[in-house]
Every structure is written in structure tokens, then in C-alpha cells.
Amino acid sequence: EGEPGTLDPQAVTDTDSISVVRQLYSGLLRLDEDQNLTSDLAEVPTLDNGGISADGLTYTFSLNDGLVWSDGEPLVAQAFVDAAKRIFAPGSANFYADFYRVIAAGGAQAALSQGLADGVEGDALTALEQAVVDGLEVTAPDDQTVVFQLNAPSPIFPLLATLWTIFPVRQDIADSAGDAWTEAGTLVGNGAFVLSEWNHDEGVVLTRNDNWHRGPALLDSIEYDINADSAIAFLAYQEGELDVVKLGPAELVQVRGTDLEEQFQAYAQLVTIGIYFN
């Protein structure tokens, strides 16, 4: 419905952008069709397999064998350490960072929270944010293992491991390409598709990633047409120019009671919307 705000998994917030990011990346864990926690890139950690410590403060993820990026480079545990640090990068103001403040940082998380409560700004705030990054207790003892140390038990941490915010990143590309690292021809992911084209404000084209760890996707490609006007998009659908379109309220009225109603698919969406008070 609109231009993706970003395809940076640590920074993305809106549903249109997230829908693309989820095609470009895979995470440690995922939810299956019945919302059960299951393996994606790593084994599901439990007390029995040693993935969760007895005190609930240490989560150890063992990566699957043979993981590679879309360009064929090996995907190793350090990519998750890099991703975790990027969540808290000074000045990034990443929207979902608060979800992950349960990750320990040697007291720096608490110091930052207190600083924000005290109204700290400028260089002093940057120093507090950098202390979180420097002290973050996420480690990769070897290429197949990533360990998260928490500052308090968190029964939902395995669910946090399914979200895009902790998807792995190619930090080498982000460092060398700067803000352009998420553009087509530069972005390297590990999901079912790769970013082939991003014509800003016009469309996005994804093509199948033959290196995807869960096997090649059934589709050769996905083409997103960017159009914020639901009436024009609906007309394009009726003309055969689009395969799928979201209906606005006015278009839904037009569909009810017509032959097009047979093509209408209603679905449930798992989503939580909250109000944050300032």
C-alpha cells in the first residue's frame, strides 16, 4: 500500500515493510501454521536439551548445519551478535528495542532507563546507549552457537527469537555500503527470496533464493506494485494487472453481492495494537 520505510530488519516497523523483510530473511525460530514454536535456523532451546539454563537467564541456540547467505557465503553465529548490537545502536531509536532490553548488558540497560527518566540528552545519552552496545551479553563462542544472557527470566524470549528485529545481518555489507546496504543489488539476506528490484514508490521485485535452507520456494518471483490508492489498485485487479489486492471499505461494498464476492478472501491476522502514553 506504500513505499517500504526500510528493509533493515532491526529498524523496520510498518506492516508493508515487514511483509517484504520476512521474505528476505529467516530467523532463529519461527511459528508454524498452528502458532507452535519450531526451529528455523536453530534448534528450539529447552531445559532438557541444555538450551535454557536452570535459572532461566541463559539461552543457547545451536544453529543448523550448512547455513548460507543468498550469495553463498557461510552464515555464522556472529551475524546474530551483530544484529543484537544493531538493535541498540546509539541514535537508531529502533522501535522494537524495548522488547529486547531483557538482554543483559552489565547494568547498562538499567542506567540507560534511568538516564531517559532523568531527561538525559545529547552526548550523555549517546554514551549511555553506547554502553549498552559495548556491554551487551550476546556471544558467539563458535560459528554454530549463539548465547543470550538475560537480566531477568523471560518466558517469552523464544517468541522474541521469531521476530524480524533479531534476524541476522551481513554487517560487512552494512559497513561498506552505508545507507545503501538495503538497496537491490547490495542487500544480501537468508530468506526464501532475494531483492532483485526496488523501484522506489513504484514497485519491488523478489526472486527465489536457491540457497534457502528450507528448500527452494514454489514461486519463481513476487512482484509488489506500490499503490496507496485502493480504488486504483482495485481497478488494476479487475483489469488483470494484479493477482492480489487489499480492499478498502468502499471497494468491499462494491464486491458484496457481485460475482467478485467469490474471489474475496477474509482472514484472521495475529496482531497486537497498543497505546503508549507519553
Side-chain angles (χ1 to χ4, degrees):
E1 293 180 311
E3 166 79 357
T6 179
L7 297 181
D8 180 337
Q10 277 72 60
V12 66
T13 60
D14 64 283
T15 55
D16 284 338
S17 303
I18 291 168
S19 72
V20 178
V21 165
R22 282 195 174 278
Q23 309 306 318
L24 298 174
Y25 294 91
S26 293
L28 290 165
L29 305 178
R30 64 185 178 91
L31 295 174
D32 65 16
E33 291 84 351
D34 298 316
Q35 304 304 312
N36 296 314
L37 197 66
T38 188
S39 170
D40 200 350
L41 299 178
E43 181 181 17
V44 178
T46 66
L47 285 169
D48 291 339
N49 65 21
I52 304 176
S53 62
D55 61 6
L57 294 179
T58 306
Y59 280 77
T60 301
F61 292 86
S62 298
L63 299 184
N64 301 330
D65 294 332
L67 298 177
V68 297
W69 295 96
S70 58
D71 65 355
E73 287 292 315
L75 193 161
V76 297
Q78 182 62 37
F80 293 96
V81 177
D82 294 336
K85 290 180 178 294
R86 294 184 81 252
I87 295 173
F88 304 107
S92 61
N94 287 330
F95 190 79
Y96 290 100
D98 284 349
F99 283 23
Y100 296 88
R101 294 203 186 279
V102 70
I103 301 174
Q109 298 279 27
L112 174 59
S113 295
Q114 185 60 54
L116 291 170
D118 294 340
V120 171
E121 298 177 342
D123 291 344
L125 177 59
T126 298
L128 290 173
E129 292 176 328
Q130 186 60 49
V132 171
V133 174
D134 294 340
L136 203 63
E137 297 183 36
V138 182
T139 58
D142 57 59
D143 286 348
Q144 296 291 112
T145 309
V146 58
V147 180
F148 294 85
Q149 189 70 30
L150 309 186
N151 53 40
S154 176
I156 68 165
F157 192 73
L159 289 175
L160 295 180
T162 71
L163 297 183
W164 53 90
T165 311
I166 200 69
F167 283 171
V169 293
R170 281 286 294 273
Q171 191 61 45
D172 60 324
I173 295 177
D175 289 341
S176 62
D179 292 341
W181 80 272
T182 56
E183 294 293 329
T186 304
L187 187 149
V188 173
N190 69 315
F193 293 87
V194 297
L195 181 65
S196 294
E197 298 179 31
W198 184 0
N199 301 311
H200 293 277
D201 296 312
E202 295 182 11
V204 172
V205 178
L206 310 182
T207 54
R208 183 169 55 205
N209 174 19
D210 291 330
N211 288 322
W212 192 39
H213 66 288
R214 287 166 57 192
L218 296 179
L219 296 177
D220 294 324
S221 64
I222 302 174
E223 299 181 15
Y224 293 87
D225 181 67
I226 298 174
N227 193 332
D229 190 320
S230 60
I232 293 177
F234 183 45
L235 181 61
Y237 173 82
Q238 295 177 82
E239 295 293 330
E241 298 171 8
L242 295 176
D243 297 311
V244 181
V245 69
K246 291 182 181 179
L247 296 182
E251 291 71 49
L252 184 58
V253 171
Q254 296 176 47
V255 165
R256 296 295 191 191
T258 70
D259 292 341
L260 284 172
E261 189 167 11
E262 296 180 1
Q263 300 174 32
F264 175 67
Q265 299 291 323
Y267 61 92
Q269 186 176 16
L270 182 63
V271 62
T272 301
I273 298 173
I275 298 173
Y276 290 76
F277 292 95
N278 186 339

